[in-house]
Amino acid sequence: MIRHNQLTPCFVKGVPRILEPGILYVSMEYGTVVHSCCCGCGLEVVTPLTPTDWRLTFDGEAISLWPSVGNWNLPCRSHYVIQGNRVVEAGQWDKAQIDAERRRDKAAKARYYSQIESPGAQKELKPKPTNGPAGTTANRETIWAKLLRWLS
Ligand SMILES: [Zn+2]
């Protein structure tokens, strides 16, 4: 059951120690979103914003979080989607689905962080860098190549 089916976004620097139910605390500083569980149990739900965890959409008025919030680690085991400040109850997952999600999450994180650590793999991920260090270096090399040709 969902007791709070509407959340009010609140942009904060640091997350307060006591969470008010029905408030979605967003800290860009820490790249995280925290709220008091929408089932009404009052336990803290932390949804970090990372490329492998949650992503936040803010249209100036309302916030959406994706993917869904599955509180498998809380006694209530509530599961819902935050879409345009509204809390939409999602179906309960059984143990097999939770285990599958945990495996997927672990694999996604392993994949993502191994890409960060090895630059070769990251190049594969982004084949066409439009700007940034790679593009700048390439341009400088071209200028140097021209200069060398002109000098010789
Ligand atoms: Zn709860």
Side-chain angles (χ1 to χ4, degrees):
M1 273 298 286
I2 299 293
R3 200 180 293 171
H4 302 282
N5 45 27
Q6 188 84 26
L7 287 171
T8 308
C10 180
F11 289 90
V12 290
K13 209 169 174 188
V15 176
R17 200 167 291 192
I18 294 162
L19 302 176
E20 209 175 301
I23 304 283
L24 192 69
Y25 297 93
V26 181
S27 169
M28 287 303 176
E29 190 120 331
Y30 294 100
T32 197
V33 178
V34 180
H35 68 278
S36 164
C37 182
C38 293
C39 87
C41 71
L43 289 170
E44 183 185 67
V45 179
V46 182
T47 46
L49 304 173
T50 80
T52 64
D53 292 295
W54 281 269
R55 72 188 59 165
L56 174 139
T57 319
F58 179 55
D59 65 4
E61 285 179 8
I63 278 179
S64 302
L65 264 191
W66 192 258
S68 61
V69 180
N71 299 318
W72 327 124
N73 299 321
L74 302 185
C76 67
R77 299 187 144 230
S78 57
H79 183 207
Y80 44 85
V81 180
I82 298 169
Q83 180 79 52
N85 286 354
R86 283 180 315 118
V87 182
V88 184
E89 189 161 12
Q92 286 285 332
W93 278 12
D94 58 26
K95 197 180 175 303
Q97 282 171 303
I98 294 167
D99 287 347
E101 165 54 25
R102 285 201 176 121
R103 274 197 301 275
R104 186 210 60 78
D105 182 61
K106 218 173 155 183
K109 282 189 169 62
R111 218 169 28 242
Y112 178 73
Y113 290 105
S114 72
Q115 271 167 3
I116 284 185
E117 276 153 32
S118 87
Q122 207 176 14
K123 224 176 265 172
E124 257 174 35
L125 190 73
K126 293 174 192 164
K128 283 180 244 166
T130 46
N131 51 23
T136 317
T137 317
N139 285 341
R140 203 185 299 148
E141 272 166 12
T142 323
I143 291 162
W144 278 113
K146 275 182 192 161
L147 196 67
L148 278 172
R149 252 203 318 275
W150 181 75
L151 283 171
S152 55

